[in-house]
């Protein structure tokens, strides 16, 4: 199954894509993670992407499309994949349409106030990539999974979050209509506990218990 997770920043795309990846045995492909890895490794793509990411803007379409095109050719994508954070523009969606047949697009819908609260409290592990909210951490700043230091992503600062939300509305939200017109869209309200949302996701995919 070739699937897209659509939704604003902080909607839970990564969390739920990861849970589904374990259930379905297909890879989660996060362009945000790929770009952060490229920045850490100091590659030319990373150097180009960093200014855009730090400002909460989108990395140019041609850069991201090239990354995804190469990634989808890898062997582990043969039985399907979950795209998390791609496409983010209509141009990306059209380019994807030329290289892949998408089966379903899961749209996680979360109100702005909830997004702002989630992102301002989000902490990530620089070592294993685990993602948490401060309200679950009982004051600890160490990763519950591997014990390493948790950090706040630079682009989760309040000013950058405001910009990311504006960019989402302007450039990514039009994909809701794009995929709805293709008959591929399923929308889930991304509110509640992670388990509750996951149950709604599975039910939208007709995979519920
Ligand atoms: P994410 O981890 O998905 O929230 O992505 C973090 C940042 O990476 C975004 O705010 C963008 O700057 C950049 N990014 C990730 N995916 C894309 C994409 N498909 N197109 C353009 N920029 C992207």
């Amino acid at each position: 199954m070739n699937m897209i997770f659509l939704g604003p920043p902080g909607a839970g795309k990564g969390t739920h894509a990861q849970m589904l990846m374990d259930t379905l045995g297909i890879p989660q492909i996060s362009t945000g993670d790929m770009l952060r890895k490229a920045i850490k490794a100091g590659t030319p793509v990373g150097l180009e992407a960093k200014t855009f990411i730090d400002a909460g803007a989108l990395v140019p379409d041609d850069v991201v499309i090239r990354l995804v095109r190469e990634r989808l050719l890898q062997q582990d994508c043969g039985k399907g994949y979950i795209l998390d954070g791609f496409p983010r523009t209509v141009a990306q969606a059209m380019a994807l349409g030329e290289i892949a047949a998408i089966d379903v697009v899961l749209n996680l819908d979360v109100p702005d106030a909830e997004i702002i609260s989630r992102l301002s409290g989000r902490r990530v592990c620089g070592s294993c990539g685990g993602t948490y909210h401060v309200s679950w951490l009982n004051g600890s700043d160490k990763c519950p999974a591997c014990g390493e230091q948790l950090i706040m992503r630079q682009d989760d600062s309040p000013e950058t979050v405001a910009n990311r939300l504006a960019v989402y509305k302007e450039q990514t939200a039009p994909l809701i209509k794009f995929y709805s017109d293709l008959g591929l869209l399923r929308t889930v309200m991304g509110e509640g506990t992670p388990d509750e949302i996951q149950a709604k996701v599975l039910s939208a995919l007709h995979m519920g218990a």
Side-chain angles (χ1 to χ4, degrees):
M1 179 187 277
N2 301 337
M3 205 170 131
I4 294 170
F5 259 86
L6 196 62
K13 300 186 295 294
T15 304
H16 294 289
Q18 224 151 30
M19 287 173 163
L20 261 188
M21 169 177 86
D22 296 337
T23 310
L24 299 174
I26 55 176
Q28 168 209 19
I29 298 174
S30 156
T31 40
D33 285 349
M34 290 165 81
L35 292 166
R36 279 185 290 276
K37 227 181 240 173
I39 291 174
K40 223 173 169 179
T43 67
V45 165
L47 291 177
E48 185 174 359
K50 186 169 171 23
T51 358
F52 295 100
I53 294 186
D54 287 351
L58 292 185
V59 174
D61 286 334
D62 59 327
V63 175
V64 192
I65 289 167
R66 202 171 346 114
L67 271 185
V68 172
R69 186 177 284 140
E70 284 166 13
R71 180 66 185 87
L72 295 187
L73 289 174
Q74 289 177 19
Q75 215 174 9
D76 63 335
C77 293
K79 287 196 189 133
Y81 43 80
I82 306 168
L83 286 166
D84 158 15
F86 181 92
R88 262 172 150 106
T89 64
V90 171
Q92 291 178 17
M94 289 170 71
L96 178 65
E98 286 171 15
I99 54 174
I102 297 300
D103 299 303
V104 62
V105 178
L106 212 123
N107 175 37
L108 275 177
D109 190 2
V110 179
D112 286 1
E114 173 74 15
I115 300 259
I116 290 165
S117 144
R118 282 186 194 177
L119 293 183
S120 62
R122 178 159 75 175
R123 298 294 179 270
V124 295
C125 175
S127 180
C128 76
T131 301
Y132 307 93
H133 190 271
V134 283
S135 59
W136 310 334
L137 291 167
N138 293 324
S140 166
D141 62 355
K142 296 286 187 283
C143 175
C146 75
E148 290 297 321
Q149 183 71 36
L150 293 173
I151 51 168
M152 185 175 190
R153 265 171 55 172
Q154 195 171 338
D155 61 346
D156 281 346
S157 70
E159 317 76 61
T160 313
V161 165
N163 197 30
R164 287 165 69 199
L165 267 177
V167 166
Y168 169 77
K169 284 182 185 163
E170 195 183 307
Q171 302 198 54
T172 309
L175 293 180
I176 295 174
K177 179 167 178 350
F178 181 95
Y179 284 117
S180 171
D181 288 350
L182 291 176
L184 296 176
L185 195 83
R186 311 218 182 126
T187 294
V188 162
M189 278 311 291
E191 290 181 289
T193 66
D195 283 348
E196 284 165 356
I197 301 168
Q198 186 68 6
K200 287 192 261 183
V201 166
L202 290 174
S203 145
L205 296 172
H206 308 303
M207 292 168 51

